[in-house]
């Protein structure tokens, strides 16, 4: 699976949009971009994933560049409960049991 | 509640004890995983089960022994652990063979080896 690069930490004001970047310059054509987050001492939570089109759900939006070498997770109106470590992962889909490899992630702190 | 239930939530055990961690899901998922998360470290994949067969063992010491009796249950049997095995142990499940489904994680078992 391709490696990803994320900033170690970011801050965001409550109510503002949080934009979390991820670089995945070695991504292959059949690899998806996944985002998870982990609130302190809990299990990771799936947020969103995409292949090449932008995606939106009730939690967030995912913007993937045209060359697919980077992406941005957008939390449109961050709340204090969005404080967590956010993981960007690229993975080949299509096989049950294919692994999800976590890196260091970005610690997002939402400030009042 | 995520649909993946792990018990116990907290466990303290001595180095000579034998204990088991349990993971249960009724989401109809076919793949299940054990991850270990030590303090201030990324999650480490330990074992992968697909359709009740172990498909991956990431060089995990034999003092950790997984068991998957059916697609809804996953166990991690612990024996003669070391203090450095203290960590958060997370179970995850994934739907179906093929496709691009996300994982659903449990809340984890916080293990302390004394």
């Amino acid at each position: 699976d391709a490696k990803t690069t994320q900033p170690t930490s970011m801050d965001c004001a409550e109510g503002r949009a949080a934009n979390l970047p991820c670089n995945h310059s070695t991504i292959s054509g059949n690899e998806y971009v996944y985002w998870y987050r982990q609130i302190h001492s809990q299990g990771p939570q799936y947020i969103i994933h995409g292949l090449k089109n932008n995606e939106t759900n009730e939690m967030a939006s995912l913007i993937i560049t045209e060359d697919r070498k980077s992406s941005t997770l957008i939390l449109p109106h961050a709340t204090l409960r969005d404080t967590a470590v956010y993981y960007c992962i690229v993975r080949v889909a299509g096989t049950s049991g294919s692994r999800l490899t976590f890196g260091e992630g970005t610690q997002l702190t939402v400030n009042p | 509640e995520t649909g993946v239930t792990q018990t116990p939530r907290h466990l303290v055990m001595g180095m000579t004890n034998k204990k088991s961690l349990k993971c249960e899901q009724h989401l109809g998922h076919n793949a299940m995983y054990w991850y270990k998360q030590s303090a201030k470290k990324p999650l480490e994949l330990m074992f992968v089960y697909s359709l009740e067969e172990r498909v991956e063992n990431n060089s995990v010491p034999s003092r950790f022994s997984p068991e998957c009796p059916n697609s809804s249950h996953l166990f991690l049997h612990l024996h003669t652990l070391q203090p450095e095995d203290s960590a958060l142990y997370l179970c995850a499940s994934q739907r179906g063979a093929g496709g691009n489904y996300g994982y659903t994680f449990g809340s984890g078992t916080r293990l302390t080896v004394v």
Side-chain angles (χ1 to χ4, degrees):
Chain A
D1 293 337
K3 183 179 176 179
T4 63
T5 304
Q6 298 178 252
T8 303
S9 63
M10 294 182 64
D11 285 275
C12 176
E14 187 178 19
R16 304 298 293 270
N19 298 295
L20 292 95
C22 180
N23 287 323
H24 31 79
S25 58
T26 60
I27 192 170
S28 301
N30 62 347
E31 288 183 309
Y32 287 73
V33 180
Y34 290 78
W35 283 85
Y36 285 75
R37 72 179 182 183
Q38 186 176 23
I39 297 169
H40 182 62
S41 292
Q42 296 182 22
Q45 177 189 24
Y46 165 81
I47 301 173
I48 199 168
H49 75 279
L51 183 62
K52 54 183 178 181
N53 296 323
N54 297 337
E55 302 288 344
T56 297
N57 63 21
E58 64 278 4
M59 290 183 69
S61 295
L62 174 60
I63 308 299
I64 302 174
T65 58
E66 191 169 344
D67 62 8
R68 302 207 325 122
K69 294 183 183 297
S70 66
S71 60
T72 301
L73 179 75
I74 301 172
L75 308 179
H77 305 286
T79 70
L80 300 179
R81 287 180 292 181
D82 292 322
T83 293
V85 178
Y86 287 76
Y87 298 100
C88 169
I89 302 165
V90 293
R91 176 174 83 96
V92 176
T95 305
S96 178
S98 61
R99 59 186 168 169
L100 202 64
T101 303
F102 288 80
E104 304 277 350
T106 296
Q107 171 66 59
L108 175 68
T109 302
V110 181
N111 300 304
Chain B
E1 186 59 51
T2 67
V4 177
T5 304
Q6 290 188 244
T7 54
R9 292 296 304 275
H10 300 272
L11 177 63
V12 179
M13 60 184 288
M15 289 189 285
T16 59
N17 292 157
K18 287 184 181 181
K19 297 286 184 182
S20 296
L21 310 184
K22 179 181 177 182
C23 177
E24 184 174 357
Q25 60 90 9
H26 295 288
L27 301 170
H29 291 180
N30 289 330
M32 297 187 79
Y33 307 79
W34 279 117
Y35 281 84
K36 173 185 177 182
Q37 188 172 33
S38 302
K40 300 188 186 302
K41 290 186 178 179
L43 280 79
E44 302 171 54
L45 180 64
M46 299 177 73
F47 300 105
V48 179
Y49 275 83
S50 176
L51 300 172
E52 301 159 37
E53 288 191 25
R54 191 191 312 179
V55 297
E56 188 161 340
N57 173 349
N58 272 4
S59 303
V60 179
S62 59
R63 57 185 184 271
F64 295 91
S65 175
E67 179 190 2
C68 188
N70 55 62
S71 60
S72 298
H73 295 87
L74 184 66
F75 295 90
L76 188 62
H77 304 298
L78 314 172
H79 174 54
T80 320
L81 294 193
Q82 305 298 311
E84 58 265 28
D85 297 322
S86 299
L88 180 67
Y89 288 84
L90 291 157
C91 172
S93 69
Q94 181 190 23
R95 183 174 71 165
N100 55 2
Y101 310 109
Y103 287 22
T104 302
F105 281 84
S107 298
T109 294
R110 174 71 62 186
L111 174 67
T112 303
V113 181
V114 297

